[in-house]
Amino acid sequence: MHSRNNIVEIFSTFLQFDADRFRGWTTDAKLRRSMHGCIEQIPQETSDNFWALYWYKLWNSRSNRIAQEHLLAYLQECCYWASAKAANTFANIQYNLSDCFQIAIAKFEKVLKGFDVNSGYRLKSYASASFGSTIRDTLRQRHEVDICSVWGLLRKTSQKRLVESLRELGLSEDTITSHVIVWNCFKTVYVPTQVSSTRQLPRPDEKTLSAISQAYGLQTSSTIESQTVVTVLLMCAASIRKYLYPTVTSDIVPVGGEDSFSYLDNLASNEESLLNQIIATEEEQTKVSQQSEINTVLASAIRQLDAQNRQILHLYYAEGLTQQQIAKQLEVKQYTVSRRLSKTKQTLLRSFAKWSQEKMHISLTSNLLETTSTVMEEWLQSYCS
Amino acid sequence: MFSPCSISSPSSHAQSPKPKAQSPIIMNNISLFTFTSPADLILEIPSNAQNQAWIESQNFSNSASCYQAYMSKLCLLAAQQAKLSPSTSALPSLWELVNGCSITISDGTKFVLVPTEDIDLSELRVLQEWVDIPSFAGDYYLGVQVQPDEGFVRVWGYCTHAQLKNNSNYDAVFRTYSLDSEDITTDLSVLTLAREFCTQEITRSEIPPLANLTLEQAQNLISRLGNPQVITPQLEVPFSIWGALIERLSYRNSLYERRLGLPEQWAVMDWLQNGGSQIAEQFGWGSSNLEVSTAGVRSVEQSQKNLFRQITIAEQQYILSIIPQSEAEGIIWRFELRNAATDGLIPSGFKLKLLGEDLQAFPNNEDIATSSVQQLFVEVMLEPGEGIIWEVEPIPENYDREILRF
């Protein structure tokens, strides 16, 4: 893949795949016009981070649609690299780069919502780590759903997910409510009868089904046939699976109306306070990212780890092995690897927290710690390799 | 032991090794560990403990309660492994009615463990009981994904009580609070550090008061909801009434016993005659022969026994004994508090107090140490079937009000 260098391109072009290969960048004409317009008004601003912040603040304060599309264009490369890494790590489960890319970019809004603009970190660093965890989590879910029976899957789905999947099917809210009640009765009445067989739960027998319809009757003062219970539950299960494997459409490139950027005419006059804000934030970010001190703090924390923990870090971040592969290589249990890694991460986060409290006099919040922890993934990645 | 639960015979599972997962994908050696990140906290459930948990989860009125007890127990097992000590609350009567459990660590911070089997983890759904019953509510709520098939649990994220009260969706049909996964902190290292560095953050939010139940109301509710055919007793009455009922341990125990068709388990006379009972032991009561511990008390016929339990106040152990003394008019019950060490004293300011089961005081129902004393005691005469609640001040660790039936 060749990277984009031109600021207009960075905010107006989208990745194209040819099967699993990078094919090129396609331009969205509307975004290009919008970007050109902005640059003409503030030609002195040429850093991609400035414009990323600009669009982020617009998106954040007004849920502006075109701002969101600019950010989607901006984060294409970052998503590509996160996908390339995941495709490499999970090569043995047959997910290729473009599959991973689709999965990650579909959750693009989650990145924007999770980002804390006041944290002093760059959107790009946060997004890389966030895309990576989205891919990992979706693959985990697909893997688990694939090995569940229909009935096991129904037990192992949250109510929120069920409602979302049924909405996606286009059912009315009333139908959804009654399906959710059937499903809840199913979960209450039908439980696994063995220590560890929740995945391969068999079809409930007739007695259980009639108990479910009875429970439904008590709850709603209406009746439902056992056969209908089965139909409803099978439909719920099908919609849950479908939700996890959405049909890939070509709408990764957004289509927005022309009217959505009429505000641009007023940019220079009304947006002054916004611009000042951005400049301040950018200065803050530069300050934080240029603090070689933070690197020193973390690097020295890593040096203080024992040899095996350092080795685990190296295998995980530099070699890109899974925790399972690491366990095999070091001949320890998977739990051990998992626990060591989280412990190490905690140690590093603690040295950051101490440093920012004592040296920087930053008052820490849970949000800032969470963002830091995410960005630290990215940092470890580059530090270890 | 009577076991009305319809789950298949536990003995076969106790013997057989844990079944191997059958999926071909698993055999390709892909487990969920493939997808974990350093932010995850994953805890192993030893397989013998898993089988044991299954066997111990059989004494409930219906299979759903059995299963929720099993899930909650697995959570707790894993938490113990994480070196947190659980408070000894009355778990069976709890799991008959609600899912989950709580642990309180030494600084008083309380964690509520919310077990789930969900694969998608798109929300943390918490029963209203854990949020709106004052003595149940915690500071933090940990989402625990239980993986019985692979023998581990994963603590997948957490939130605070304040978040649940302020940012979540309340489901009035099922009485749950649910917080979207986007608002859940999934990085567990943040929890440890936030408790260390962000002490200004408020974890709890205000809870509206529960109803005041009279004894009569409570008894009516227990007989109505004690029918095991009622699968979801929690949805049968308004929450403030339900919450008040199950917050009181003695009511909760009665409800549990009624739903399982068990005989009255808190009968002190039976305990004395049979040398204890399972329930008595579960709540820390043991029995011993009179002559061992109570020199100075008038001797009664033959090998009369007494009941005792250990309680802990400020890391000191004390013994609360119940000693029956036969008199012409009937039995006088002597409640006695001593230091567990032979020459230890009861510090000044301690109070031993008895109440009727309706929480009403009666004349001469308490003894207060105005200086350090050897013992505190209260003597009562009771009608057969009458109930007594004991209290000690300062409040002992893990104290729960219990009604002793005479």
Side-chain angles (χ1 to χ4, degrees):
Chain A
M1 186 197 71
H2 68 86
S3 300
R4 302 166 292 185
N5 301 317
N6 175 303
I7 205 80
V8 174
E9 278 178 15
I10 289 175
F11 287 92
S12 63
T13 59
F14 294 85
L15 251 171
Q16 291 295 299
F17 283 99
D18 193 353
D20 193 29
R21 283 270 179 83
F22 168 76
R23 197 178 65 200
W25 296 99
T26 55
T27 304
D28 182 286
K30 170 190 53 145
L31 293 182
R32 193 180 56 198
R33 276 200 303 281
S34 149
M35 214 42 219
H36 266 303
C38 290
I39 299 233
E40 264 168 36
Q41 297 188 52
I42 323 172
Q44 69 275 22
E45 293 301 343
T46 53
S47 87
D48 65 333
N49 194 47
F50 172 89
W51 289 105
L53 276 173
Y54 174 78
W55 295 121
Y56 186 84
K57 294 223 167 189
L58 268 187
W59 171 82
N60 201 22
S61 56
R62 322 209 179 138
S63 35
N64 182 285
R65 180 154 166 91
I66 203 153
Q68 185 171 334
E69 292 174 9
H70 279 302
L71 291 168
L72 182 59
Y74 174 61
L75 293 177
Q76 297 282 303
E77 276 177 59
C78 170
C79 186
Y80 178 89
W81 293 117
S83 308
K85 175 170 182 281
N88 187 34
T89 307
F90 303 120
N92 56 341
I93 19 180
Q94 333 260 286
Y95 277 95
N96 63 31
L97 203 164
S98 72
D99 294 330
C100 294
F101 186 87
Q102 302 281 1
I103 289 171
I105 210 77
K107 295 283 172 62
F108 155 74
E109 274 195 70
K110 199 180 130 201
V111 174
L112 297 190
K113 283 185 188 147
F115 180 60
D116 176 1
V117 74
N118 299 317
S119 64
Y121 299 109
R122 287 165 193 264
L123 177 61
K124 228 168 24 180
S125 320
Y126 178 82
S128 294
S130 178
F131 281 134
S133 85
T134 295
I135 297 171
R136 195 172 47 232
D137 193 53
T138 309
L139 294 185
R140 172 189 65 78
Q141 289 187 35
R142 287 186 178 179
H143 164 69
E144 269 193 272
V145 166
D146 288 347
I147 57 178
C148 275
S149 69
V150 169
W151 312 98
L153 176 60
L154 284 167
R155 273 203 72 81
K156 288 168 158 289
T157 297
S158 72
Q159 187 169 323
K160 180 176 176 225
R161 172 60 60 85
L162 175 64
V163 170
E164 282 170 353
S165 345
L166 293 173
R167 276 202 190 122
E168 202 116 298
L169 284 190
L171 299 184
S172 73
E173 287 302 311
D174 285 351
T175 313
I176 292 175
T177 309
S178 101
H179 282 15
V180 168
I181 294 174
V182 173
W183 170 79
N184 253 302
C185 294
F186 160 81
K187 271 181 83 167
T188 311
V189 172
Y190 187 46
V191 296
T193 55
Q194 278 176 19
V195 179
S196 55
S197 63
T198 61
R199 283 182 183 145
Q200 297 304 319
L201 204 61
R203 186 182 197 273
D205 57 19
E206 286 311 313
K207 208 174 125 222
T208 311
L209 288 174
S210 75
I212 295 170
S213 54
Q214 216 176 351
Y216 180 87
L218 281 174
Q219 198 132 74
T220 58
S221 330
S222 61
T223 55
I224 184 169
E225 297 285 319
S226 294
Q227 197 42 52
T228 318
V229 169
V230 176
T231 317
V232 166
L233 290 174
L234 287 175
M235 184 203 206
C236 288
S239 76
I240 294 162
R241 278 193 212 273
K242 187 155 183 264
Y243 186 90
L244 207 52
Y245 288 96
T247 330
V248 178
T249 52
S250 55
D251 65 2
I252 298 173
V253 182
V255 278
E258 294 278 327
D259 56 334
S260 54
F261 56 105
S262 52
Y263 70 92
L264 280 176
D265 306 336
N266 305 322
L267 183 130
S269 54
N270 292 347
E271 305 295 326
E272 206 159 329
S273 68
L274 176 66
L275 289 179
N276 288 338
Q277 267 180 43
I278 295 166
I279 290 161
T281 314
E282 204 191 15
E283 277 168 0
E284 184 58 29
Q285 287 191 347
T286 317
K287 202 170 85 194
V288 171
S289 57
Q290 282 179 352
Q291 281 293 346
S292 58
E293 221 180 316
I294 187 167
N295 291 323
T296 322
V297 169
L298 291 175
S300 98
I302 288 182
R303 274 197 303 278
Q304 280 164 31
L305 298 171
D306 68 32
Q308 192 177 40
N309 281 330
R310 275 209 305 273
Q311 192 185 2
I312 293 177
L313 273 191
H314 178 80
L315 293 173
Y316 187 81
Y317 289 102
E319 311 262 317
L321 299 189
T322 64
Q323 297 191 13
Q324 208 177 14
Q325 290 164 330
I326 296 172
K328 210 169 168 191
Q329 186 162 337
L330 301 182
E331 296 178 341
V332 294
K333 282 191 152 189
Q334 293 167 347
Y335 303 97
T336 313
V337 176
S338 168
R339 220 170 308 161
R340 289 254 171 112
L341 267 175
S342 5
K343 198 84 207 158
T344 302
K345 193 102 193 276
Q346 200 172 308
T347 310
L348 298 180
L349 197 54
R350 171 172 285 112
S351 36
F352 160 82
K354 274 194 178 146
W355 169 78
S356 47
Q357 208 169 46
E358 287 163 13
K359 296 276 157 55
M360 306 289 286
H361 307 291
I362 295 171
S363 80
L364 289 164
T365 63
S366 298
N367 274 346
L368 179 57
L369 283 172
E370 198 180 0
T371 313
T372 303
S373 185
T374 310
V375 173
M376 196 180 280
E377 280 291 291
E378 193 55 23
W379 184 87
L380 281 167
Q381 203 82 59
S382 57
Y383 179 84
C384 291
S385 37
Chain B
M1 183 104 191
F2 178 68
S3 171
C5 185
S6 64
I7 287 181
S8 65
S9 144
S11 55
S12 62
H13 301 298
Q15 310 303 329
S16 63
K18 224 171 85 207
K20 292 265 182 297
Q22 289 142 14
S23 156
I25 304 182
I26 287 276
M27 292 175 52
N28 267 341
N29 208 11
I30 293 168
S31 85
L32 296 183
F33 278 97
T34 313
F35 307 107
T36 49
S37 91
D40 292 329
L41 180 60
I42 295 181
L43 303 162
E44 186 179 11
I45 307 165
S47 83
N48 54 351
Q50 191 171 355
N51 285 319
Q52 190 61 32
W54 180 265
I55 294 164
E56 286 169 2
S57 306
Q58 304 301 303
N59 288 317
F60 294 91
S61 75
N62 61 73
S63 51
S65 293
C66 289
Y67 199 70
Q68 86 183 0
Y70 175 57
M71 284 285 125
S72 306
K73 218 177 255 274
L74 292 184
C75 263
L76 202 53
L77 274 172
Q80 278 163 324
Q81 202 203 352
K83 307 248 186 322
L84 297 168
S85 56
S87 62
T88 57
S89 41
L91 296 171
S93 66
L94 189 67
W95 290 335
E96 168 69 18
L97 307 167
V98 295
N99 197 8
C101 50
S102 66
I103 42 184
T104 306
I105 58 171
S106 53
D107 69 355
T109 309
K110 185 162 165 186
F111 296 87
V112 175
L113 308 183
V114 186
T116 178
E117 291 178 84
D118 298 348
I119 293 168
D120 53 277
L121 304 177
S122 40
E123 63 179 349
L124 180 63
R125 192 170 282 269
V126 183
L127 293 176
Q128 190 175 4
E129 283 86 344
W130 289 114
V131 181
D132 285 339
I133 298 180
S135 65
F136 282 32
D139 297 287
Y140 296 97
Y141 292 74
L142 304 184
V144 183
Q145 187 190 33
V146 184
Q147 292 273 3
D149 300 69
E150 290 191 44
F152 69 78
V153 305
R154 166 182 171 203
V155 186
W156 70 273
Y158 77 93
C159 68
T160 62
H161 182 260
Q163 279 177 291
L164 279 174
K165 283 302 275 183
N166 305 328
N167 306 336
S168 72
N169 300 310
Y170 176 67
D171 181 328
V173 178
F174 299 106
R175 295 194 185 156
T176 51
Y177 287 93
S178 75
L179 196 61
D180 283 359
S181 60
E182 279 167 17
D183 298 318
I184 300 285
T185 309
T186 52
D187 190 331
L188 266 297
S189 46
V190 174
L191 175 59
T192 320
L193 292 169
R195 295 188 54 239
E196 208 173 305
F197 290 94
C198 317
T199 41
Q200 77 286 0
E201 288 181 350
I202 292 161
T203 54
R204 297 225 192 191
S205 192
E206 218 171 301
I207 303 173
L210 298 171
N212 273 322
L213 286 187
T214 64
L215 180 60
E216 198 190 346
Q217 283 173 316
Q219 282 165 345
N220 286 338
L221 285 168
I222 289 167
S223 68
R224 186 173 133 209
L225 304 174
N227 176 1
Q229 303 294 323
V230 182
I231 308 177
T232 49
Q234 69 274 23
L235 303 180
E236 296 290 317
V237 289
F239 182 80
S240 73
I241 292 180
W242 168 254
L245 182 72
I246 70 160
E247 181 172 38
R248 186 87 70 82
L249 177 66
S250 53
Y251 293 157
R252 201 165 76 220
N253 280 330
S254 300
L255 185 57
Y256 168 65
E257 286 154 16
R258 192 71 67 90
R259 287 178 64 82
L260 264 77
L262 299 174
E264 178 72 65
Q265 303 232 345
W266 288 80
V268 172
M269 287 304 252
D270 290 350
W271 293 1
L272 286 169
Q273 268 158 23
N274 307 328
S277 80
Q278 204 191 345
I279 262 276
E281 277 163 30
Q282 207 173 328
F283 285 86
W285 287 100
S287 63
S288 71
N289 287 319
L290 186 66
E291 58 269 17
V292 185
S293 55
T294 56
V297 173
R298 220 170 324 165
S299 169
V300 286
E301 309 114 67
Q302 332 149 13
S303 61
Q304 181 71 285
K305 289 181 166 179
N306 68 6
L307 287 174
F308 67 91
R309 65 171 291 158
Q310 194 156 299
I311 57 180
T312 308
I313 299 168
E315 294 177 6
Q316 277 294 317
Q317 312 292 322
Y318 301 88
I319 306 284
L320 176 69
S321 315
I322 305 176
I323 307 152
Q325 304 168 56
S326 290
E327 295 285 340
E329 319 86 85
I331 301 174
I332 290 179
W333 298 93
R334 179 185 172 96
F335 284 71
E336 188 179 283
L337 186 69
R338 286 174 176 274
N339 196 306
T342 2
D343 48 358
L345 294 172
I346 303 283
S348 166
F350 271 42
K351 189 199 270 185
L352 172 66
K353 185 176 179 183
L354 301 185
L355 296 168
E357 63 183 300
D358 49 2
L359 288 176
Q360 292 303 308
F362 48 85
N364 303 321
N365 71 325
E366 58 181 41
D367 192 10
I368 300 169
T370 47
S371 60
S372 293
V373 291
Q374 261 195 333
Q375 57 174 1
L376 290 178
F377 72 93
V378 178
E379 292 184 336
V380 281
M381 246 179 127
L382 297 162
E383 297 289 325
E386 209 173 328
I388 280 289
I389 292 168
W390 62 271
E391 280 181 356
V392 171
E393 283 172 26
I395 298 169
E397 276 174 28
N398 301 324
Y399 174 77
D400 252 326
R401 269 190 196 136
E402 51 191 28
I403 297 186
L404 298 167
R405 185 82 49 202
F406 289 82

